[in-house]
Amino acid sequence: MQAYAIPATEPFATLSDVSEMHPYTVRESPRATRVRLRMSHSGDLEVVVPRGFDTRQVPGLVESQRDWIGRAARRIGRQRATLPPGHTAQLPDVVDLAALAESRSVEYRQNTAGRASVREQADGGLVVRGDTSDIELCRAALRRWLRRTATARLVPWLGSLAEEGGFTYQRTCVRMQRARWGSASTRGTISLNAKMLFFPPRLVEHVLLHELCHTVHPNHSKAFHELLRACDPDACRHARDLRTAWRFVPDWAEE
């Protein structure tokens, strides 16, 4: 995800023409201390503002960053042009879970239900039932299935690595975060991103070890990095690869 942080002292520009601006959404974050523009790997622009921020200032602020938005959009466009065709499909015919070395065929069956659900077949294939004409309903159902699968497979993987390395933590939760592949709280909760199921196993294991090391060092100090390298000798290379790991995640998996 490309990101641009706007300093608190950045002067607000006057909006000249809203219609010419890149479409965007605004999200209030209690953790934000300043306004940030984020462009996702699918080209969606999000403006993250601190709680209580006067959103009437957002259009002018976005206008003032027109050049950065244009550069980010062009860069992402070039990156997306290299993706395989199935990556950008609205709905998948096949779901490839690289982390598990599994491939699932997907079948869509229309019925009169007002929602959509996903069932696993005996052969491992997936069947989406419901209003299959509603693409977003089907995508949401597939994302729920992805999260269930990640809970069943990533959580034990984390537990196994913790046992091998002598790490302890309180609990694990699986989410569909926008910008983080994992996190560890000071209370001992490790959060994992279900979209890591699309990663190569080596990158998944790197993220899991990264978060486990945070149970010992809740920072990115020298001691943290030394511990991480002891657990993952290729940590530096894996960290670099994670910067473009979004390319493994198909569009349907993103909200």
Side-chain angles (χ1 to χ4, degrees), residues 169-188:
Y169 55 92
Q170 295 300 313
R171 59 186 292 268
T172 312
C173 63
V174 175
R175 301 174 179 170
M176 300 281 283
Q177 298 102 312
R178 295 185 182 186
R180 291 187 177 190
W181 302 123
S183 63
S185 75
T186 55
R187 295 184 177 183

Side-chain angles (χ1 to χ4, degrees), residues 30-106:
R31 299 173 58 183
T33 57
R34 56 183 175 176
V35 177
R36 294 178 66 88
L37 269 64
R38 295 179 178 273
M39 187 169 289
S40 73
H41 60 76
S42 58
D44 297 322
L45 179 64
E46 179 184 61
V47 182
V48 182
V49 302
R51 180 173 290 171
F53 184 81
D54 182 0
T55 56
R56 291 175 297 180
Q57 299 183 79
V58 170
L61 189 151
V62 172
E63 172 68 11
S64 73
Q65 303 306 322
R66 179 190 291 270
D67 290 345
W68 178 87
I69 293 170
R71 290 195 301 272
R74 289 190 294 273
R75 182 165 54 249
I76 288 170
R78 291 193 297 270
Q79 292 169 342
R80 288 180 62 79
T82 66
L83 298 175
H87 191 100
T88 57
Q90 289 188 313
L91 288 173
D93 294 321
V94 177
V95 175
D96 291 314
L97 303 179
L100 309 177
E102 295 178 3
S103 183
R104 311 289 188 94
S105 62
V106 186

